[in-house]
Amino acid sequence: MRLALRLALLAILLLAAAALWKREEIARLMAVNSLFAPETIVQNFSHMDDLFLTRPLSRGDGPISPLPQGPQATLPPEVTDWIADRNVTALVILKDGQIVHESYHQGTGPDDLRISWSVAKSFLSALFGIVLAEGHIDSLDDPVTKYVPALAGTAYDGTTIRHILTMSSGVAFNEDYMDFWSDINRMGRVLALGQSMDGFAASLKDRAADPGSRWHYVSIDTHVLGMIIRGATGEDIPELMERHILAPMGLEKAPYYLTDGDGVSFVLGGLNVTTRDYARFGQMIAQGGMWQGRQIVPRDWVEASITPSAPGGAGYGYQWWIAEGASPGEVNAQGIYGQYIWIDRARNVVIAVNAADRDFEDPGVAEANIALFRRIAAGL
């Protein structure tokens, strides 16, 4: 009996020591499991640095670029109900580069660094276009393994950069956010536990389709795009993003990335930026990559990336969405839980939205959001 008690006490002590040793990983894992809870989701989306490993980004030491106030817009009356129904936390609307509407909700404010989720993919697309123009990438039809040899023998062996950009890699990947065991949620736990995102990408061995044969939205493809950029340039994404996009744009507040345990940025959805700065980025894209008289992203890349090019006629370019029925020049970056940068180049309108919409996947929600953006733009 004494021996059994001693063994039990030893086991308890070992468990306590392990819990203490791994307390940060356990805390992040618990955060992932409650990240989208209705009582915490708004707070979490403005304070992701309290929950995950992060990498601060420099905005540079230049002045904040102007984002002047324009005449206050009269919005459609249904916008008020939409803000409540979709749990919108911030709405910034630009017309001709001027703020014509700005509002914050649910206790958030203009200084909040809001999580982008998949809006971050469009930022990475812009960075890729710069890297391509600098000659680090030879061709979009180069195999992925030319720049990331570690992916040889994985599901990405035989895919090209173009397949990655257009979400047509063919990699088998379950993107169901409501399925605890889906690949996207397994990936979230990898991030929370401080494990390797590169290792997770290399662990994917199965294909659901031949590369380039169909469009299928696979978020890990964007991480692989980041791996390609890192392999081609020999630099980390934050260093490149700071030098080529953030500093030249004169953001109001320094952003940050979520990272894995190796310090690798979560480029597919971990960028945290103020809503005004999301709008600035959208305005730069609306102007063909030009900002404050400087060509930040090559114009030809902007045009190519916002043109539908995914197989099967899907409304998807190079990490940008083109909604069904889009007019010429209409494009959007889009993230889960209601994050948007919607751009109408013909009307020179940019709408930046942050939200905590737990019903974002309900049928017709995304289409209704886009329809509302179009009505807003038409009335400006």
Side-chain angles (χ1 to χ4, degrees):
M1 180 64 70
R2 289 179 180 175
L3 179 60
L5 288 172
R6 288 174 181 172
L7 290 173
L9 180 59
L10 178 61
I12 291 170
L13 290 173
L14 288 172
L15 285 171
L20 184 63
W21 180 46
K22 291 290 187 180
R23 63 186 182 279
E24 291 185 4
E25 289 88 341
I26 293 169
R28 289 196 299 271
L29 186 59
M30 292 176 65
V32 166
N33 290 336
S34 62
L35 186 61
F36 311 116
E39 66 274 12
T40 58
I41 185 171
V42 172
Q43 170 77 7
N44 289 342
F45 282 14
S46 283
H47 300 89
M48 298 295 283
D49 52 342
D50 291 341
L51 307 175
F52 294 95
L53 297 171
T54 61
R55 161 75 180 268
L57 297 172
S58 170
R59 62 165 298 281
D61 55 6
I64 295 173
S65 62
L67 201 59
Q69 293 289 328
Q72 187 69 17
T74 300
L75 302 183
E78 62 265 33
V79 170
T80 300
D81 288 340
W82 171 77
I83 287 171
D85 293 343
R86 301 275 62 90
N87 216 19
V88 169
T89 53
L91 175 62
V92 174
I93 303 174
L94 307 183
K95 169 64 174 175
D96 298 329
Q98 297 181 318
I99 297 176
V100 296
H101 176 88
E102 181 175 19
S103 61
Y104 298 89
H105 311 274
Q106 312 256 3
T108 67
D111 291 332
D112 284 30
L113 293 169
R114 294 292 293 181
I115 183 70
S116 61
W117 298 123
S118 289
V119 168
K121 293 178 169 70
S122 300
F123 278 78
L124 194 69
S125 172
L127 181 63
F128 180 86
I130 296 169
V131 168
L132 178 68
E134 287 189 337
H136 296 287
I137 304 289
D138 295 326
S139 169
L140 298 189
D141 297 312
D142 282 344
V144 167
T145 51
K146 178 177 177 177
Y147 303 96
V148 193
L151 292 178
T154 73
Y156 285 100
D157 199 343
T159 63
T160 69
I161 296 173
R162 193 182 304 275
H163 297 148
I164 300 300
L165 285 165
T166 58
M167 295 285 186
S168 58
S169 67
V171 171
F173 194 86
N174 180 355
E175 190 99 1
D176 185 354
Y177 294 91
M178 303 306 165
D179 177 357
F180 180 82
W181 299 110
S182 69
D183 295 304
I184 193 71
N185 284 327
R186 287 195 307 114
M187 185 184 71
R189 293 190 285 275
V190 165
L191 189 73
L193 290 171
Q195 297 171 351
S196 169
M197 285 290 296
D198 288 356
F200 179 78
S203 74
L204 300 174
K205 306 295 184 183
D206 299 327
R207 282 191 182 141
D210 290 335
S213 64
R214 70 168 192 179
W215 178 80
H216 178 62
Y217 192 83
V218 172
S219 280
I220 194 64
D221 279 3
T222 309
H223 181 79
V224 171
L225 184 63
M227 294 175 76
I228 292 166
I229 294 172
R230 287 187 276 128
T233 64
E235 293 188 76
D236 287 338
I237 301 300
E239 297 166 354
L240 294 164
M241 190 71 75
E242 288 166 350
R243 184 168 72 248
H244 290 300
I245 294 179
L246 303 184
M249 287 204 64
L251 302 187
E252 291 192 17
K253 193 171 179 180
Y256 65 88
Y257 267 123
L258 307 186
T259 74
D260 68 7
D262 295 331
V264 173
S265 296
F266 189 56
V267 294
L268 63 90
L271 186 62
N272 294 258
V273 181
T274 69
T275 310
R276 283 182 192 152
D277 286 336
Y278 285 125
R280 277 183 172 85
F281 179 78
Q283 187 65 40
M284 181 266 291
I285 294 298
Q287 295 169 177
M290 180 76 71
W291 185 251
Q292 303 294 304
R294 176 174 176 177
Q295 192 71 42
I296 293 178
V297 182
R299 181 174 292 274
D300 59 352
W301 177 258
V302 172
E303 301 300 335
S305 62
I306 65 175
T307 299
S309 53
Y316 201 76
Y318 296 155
Q319 310 282 295
W320 285 91
W321 294 86
I322 301 90
E324 184 176 353
S327 59
E330 180 190 328
V331 65
N332 62 280
Q334 185 171 323
I336 57 172
Y337 295 90
Q339 323 312 314
Y340 288 90
I341 302 175
W342 183 86
I343 301 165
D344 183 338
R345 297 178 72 191
R347 291 189 171 96
N348 200 10
V349 172
V350 173
I351 300 176
V353 179
N354 284 121
D357 182 8
R358 297 176 75 251
D359 298 322
F360 74 100
E361 286 193 307
D362 284 358
V365 167
E367 293 80 3
N369 289 339
I370 297 297
L372 178 60
F373 300 158
R374 290 170 177 164
R375 289 196 296 276
I376 291 172
L380 296 179

